[in-house]
Amino acid sequence: MSETGDTFKKAPKRKPSKGKSIAVSPEMREAYAALIRERAEKEEAYGRHLPQDETRRR
């Protein structure tokens, strides 16, 4: 049979790459925060009108 010494060895661990960071103006930061708040409010309003788990039936 052929030699399989190197075939099934573990690969060396890689160093984790750092995430990219960008500089954002204060106006953009505030606009993004407002977008997040608006999305959370919409999600809460939507969840308020859904039936509770006890009333769901198939």
Side-chain angles (χ1 to χ4, degrees):
M1 285 200 79
S2 64
E3 187 66 31
T4 58
D6 293 336
T7 307
F8 298 108
K9 286 188 175 180
K10 278 189 170 180
K13 299 234 179 198
R14 293 185 181 186
K15 291 183 179 179
S17 61
K18 291 186 177 181
K20 292 183 180 179
S21 62
I22 58 171
V24 181
S25 68
E27 295 86 16
M28 284 285 285
R29 191 177 306 230
E30 185 59 38
Y32 188 66
L35 180 71
I36 291 173
R37 279 193 302 270
E38 183 180 325
R39 184 178 294 166
E41 289 169 2
K42 282 183 181 180
E43 189 174 316
E44 183 204 344
Y46 178 74
R48 199 178 312 142
H49 297 291
L50 290 177
Q52 298 301 319
D53 289 342
E54 297 86 35
T55 60
R56 286 189 189 168
R57 294 184 187 162
R58 287 191 165 185

